[in-house]
Amino acid sequence: MGPDDWIHAKNERHAMSPERETPWSLPQAPSCPTNPQDAQETQDSPVSPTPPRAETIAVCTHRFPPTSAAPPPPLHIYHAVLLLADPRDQRRRTLTLVTDSLVQPCRSRAPSASASAGWRLGARPPPARRQCRVSAAVLTAPVTTSVRGRVTHSMPPEKAEVFRSLEGWAGRSLLPLLKPVEECWQPSDFLPDSSSEMFEHDVRELRARAAGLPDEYFVVLVGDMITEEALPTYQTMINTLDGVRDETGASACPWAVWTRAWTAEENRHGDILGKYMYLSGRVDMRMVEKTVQYLICSGMDPGTENNPYLGFVYTSFQERATAVSHGNTARLARAHGDDVLARTCGTIAADEKRHETAYGRIVEQLLLLDPEGAMLAIADMMRKRITMPAHLMHDGRDMNLFDNFASVAQRLGVYTARDYADIVEFLVKRWQLENLESGLSGEGRRARDFVCGLAQRMRRAAERAEDRAKTDEPRKAKFSWIYDREVVI
Ligand SMILES: [Fe+2]
Ligand SMILES: [Fe+2]
């Protein structure tokens, strides 16, 4: 595969298709210059006719083609992330460049001080001669609601009032769904006690149980764990939502209290799975840790537009999806004889269900107060398809890592296209969308009909994909997480 094919494949990963074999779809890639010449053009011309507004992010991917120097240099891919930090003060906007993907050591001279100043997160700076060049026009662009095709802040300001009016309700109906810390399980409840004389014995038992789990199971469990470990991204994402964000970092507003406590509950999920994996001796922890770091660097883009209507539809779906996934890893762990891991995954799944209940209740309230707005938001997210939070996952080697992980999860029945359709159907029933009539315009009714018929259409697409898969040759992929051993995908 040549560099151009590689880029094509990368962009293909971003294409949305209702007939994908795995239920996870990816957002449309923003239009980006793909070679230095294009990057130069970017510098000289306005990037977008509708430039960015507060806290928007423009992402572009630059491909730096190999030079003719011997030995053949590697393909260089960089993601340039332009962070416009403070729209009120153009001078304070900061530029952060993050290397991404298959970046190999560069032999060119070191970057200039001004270029390296923008590099963060331990990323390898590009050589000066190849550095990403970003438009000065972007840095001085006026405020609007679109960045390189991504809509931001799409909730009209008057609708923020809906969320203000729901603060009392959130305090009464949402916060009780959180568990007091003193009543919560902690990772150490499930893991060998390192202060105990029995520690070594208990670790040996853990490793004996883990030895019965196949490699493909570990691929899925590691993928789930890495997804959980990118929690900083998810808290950030929720705090981008207008009207419900934690304005101070310690706000007493019920929305903010919920978000912090939700994060604190979620924080245990990746923690316990990571410690289990470390003790199991079955995975290459360094590659797993690198993947986590890469994923947090990459972030996520679920298409929620800083809009809490869209954001809470997304989280309602996503919490159920994670509950299904952890529930299935629990089932498989039990089938392979690891009852402790089964209990662990089942306990995580129970948390996810509680969170799903909370987010589902918020959308229920929105449907009561603003049926048209809520219905359009549900249809909007379903049209975009719900992206998995870890859709930008990679390990620095395999840019198809997420797709390969998703394929294994599909094949093992941990999370499948049919699960996706089931979740859509479940939410349609839970929110009683089929009976929703009052308060809907013609557009709202069309949105309702689209959503109510979606699960059936997805199941038919899943059946076609399964039929095709039966005739396809089985494919294998190496996973760095399990020391480059191959697994059927
Ligand atoms: Fe979780
Ligand atoms: Fe969750």
Side-chain angles (χ1 to χ4, degrees):
M1 181 185 277
D4 289 334
D5 297 329
W6 199 89
I7 288 295
H8 179 68
K10 182 176 168 59
N11 286 338
E12 279 284 294
R13 294 178 63 233
H14 287 263
M16 285 182 281
S17 159
E19 298 191 9
R20 285 174 59 83
E21 290 178 22
T22 54
W24 298 304
S25 66
L26 295 163
Q28 202 71 43
S31 62
C32 304
T34 55
N35 63 47
Q37 218 170 358
D38 291 342
Q40 181 62 55
E41 283 167 17
T42 302
Q43 188 178 32
D44 296 329
S45 58
V47 167
S48 165
T50 50
R53 166 180 169 169
E55 298 175 1
T56 53
I57 294 174
V59 180
C60 68
T61 305
H62 300 265
R63 179 165 66 88
F64 289 81
T67 68
S68 58
L75 180 67
H76 293 274
I77 309 285
Y78 299 111
H79 275 186
V81 179
L82 184 65
L83 179 63
L84 306 181
D86 186 347
R88 293 160 302 179
D89 183 349
Q90 305 276 336
R91 289 165 304 173
R92 287 185 56 204
R93 291 176 175 185
T94 57
L95 177 67
T96 304
L97 297 173
V98 180
T99 57
D100 198 358
S101 70
L102 297 179
V103 179
Q104 302 282 332
C106 301
R107 296 183 180 190
S108 311
R109 60 195 164 86
S112 66
S114 61
S116 60
W119 293 86
R120 296 286 183 269
L121 306 172
R124 187 189 303 280
R129 283 183 294 127
R130 293 181 181 179
Q131 75 192 48
C132 298
R133 307 188 70 171
V134 181
S135 171
V138 171
L139 293 172
T140 55
V143 169
T144 76
T145 56
S146 167
V147 181
R148 299 187 74 84
R150 308 303 283 172
V151 177
T152 56
H153 303 281
S154 60
M155 182 175 73
E158 64 273 15
K159 293 214 174 185
E161 192 50 48
V162 172
F163 289 90
R164 263 192 295 278
S165 74
L166 281 174
E167 282 185 7
W169 171 85
R172 289 189 304 277
S173 301
L174 220 52
L175 300 189
L177 288 171
L178 296 162
K179 273 195 169 180
V181 174
E182 295 300 328
E183 293 172 22
C184 277
W185 63 269
Q186 298 298 337
S188 53
D189 299 340
F190 294 84
L191 294 164
D193 178 356
S194 59
S195 66
S196 158
E197 284 183 358
M198 297 298 288
F199 179 65
E200 286 179 22
H201 169 267
D202 291 346
V203 170
R204 270 196 295 277
E205 287 205 331
L206 183 151
R207 290 164 83 100
R209 290 192 302 269
L213 296 163
D215 276 348
E216 56 194 9
Y217 179 86
F218 267 100
V219 165
V220 176
L221 194 67
V222 168
D224 282 357
M225 169 262 194
I226 288 169
T227 304
E228 294 283 356
E229 285 285 76
L231 183 60
T233 299
Y234 315 140
Q235 187 179 26
T236 301
M237 198 277 286
I238 291 178
N239 277 328
T240 68
L241 299 178
D242 294 332
V244 297
R245 72 171 58 92
D246 185 345
E247 298 283 359
T248 66
S251 165
C253 167
W255 297 115
V257 172
W258 165 266
T259 298
R260 290 197 303 275
W262 170 84
T263 305
E265 288 195 359
E266 287 283 341
N267 190 51
R268 300 165 303 152
H269 299 172
D271 186 9
I272 188 170
L273 291 175
K275 284 172 177 159
Y276 168 83
M277 270 165 218
Y278 172 73
L279 292 173
S280 77
R282 291 289 306 276
V283 302
D284 183 338
M285 283 309 292
R286 190 159 203 286
M287 289 310 298
V288 172
E289 288 156 356
K290 275 175 65 177
T291 313
V292 171
Q293 188 170 355
Y294 271 124
L295 179 58
I296 295 173
C297 287
S298 298
M300 70 183 288
D301 182 1
T304 45
E305 305 173 4
N306 315 96
N307 182 332
Y309 280 71
L310 301 179
F312 290 134
V313 171
Y314 178 84
T315 49
S316 299
F317 188 107
Q318 199 47 251
E319 291 286 3
R320 189 164 182 84
T322 47
V324 167
S325 183
H326 289 303
N328 283 323
T329 52
R331 177 177 55 77
L332 289 174
R334 183 157 293 115
H336 289 293
D338 192 336
D339 284 342
V340 179
L341 180 60
R343 256 201 332 276
T344 302
C345 295
T347 303
I348 296 173
D351 277 359
E352 310 291 17
K353 286 210 164 188
R354 198 157 38 77
H355 298 161
E356 173 211 328
T357 301
Y359 288 120
R361 278 188 193 175
I362 299 173
V363 176
E364 253 165 27
Q365 286 300 303
L366 294 176
L367 282 161
L368 280 175
L369 292 174
D370 179 10
E372 173 87 355
M375 191 63 245
L376 292 179
I378 295 167
D380 186 14
M381 288 310 294
M382 295 302 154
R383 280 201 183 91
K384 290 171 180 164
R385 289 179 66 95
I386 302 291
T387 57
M388 282 298 280
H391 64 262
L392 297 176
M393 170 194 290
H394 71 88
D395 58 359
R397 296 185 194 169
D398 178 7
M399 285 308 291
N400 292 319
L401 180 59
F402 178 79
D403 285 351
N404 292 339
F405 150 64
S407 296
V408 179
Q410 164 89 22
R411 205 172 58 74
L412 293 194
V414 169
Y415 186 64
T416 68
R418 286 175 189 272
D419 289 325
Y420 189 110
D422 289 348
I423 294 171
V424 173
E425 189 172 68
F426 172 86
L427 292 175
V428 165
K429 281 199 181 122
R430 171 177 182 166
W431 293 329
Q432 301 180 36
L433 299 183
E434 280 168 340
N435 306 325
L436 189 64
E437 193 66 51
S438 139
L440 291 190
S441 68
E443 189 187 3
R445 281 195 290 275
R446 282 192 294 282
R448 176 200 62 197
D449 295 345
F450 163 75
V451 172
C452 291
L454 189 58
Q456 278 292 71
R457 292 195 297 280
M458 295 185 110
R459 284 203 187 96
R460 284 199 294 274
E463 276 167 27
R464 287 196 296 274
E466 283 164 8
D467 288 345
R468 278 199 307 276
K470 279 179 203 157
T471 59
D472 288 347
E473 283 288 304
R475 290 184 302 131
K476 288 186 172 181
K478 286 181 183 171
F479 287 87
S480 65
W481 304 333
I482 50 169
Y483 301 97
D484 283 333
R485 287 195 292 275
E486 283 190 329
V487 163
V488 177
I489 57 173

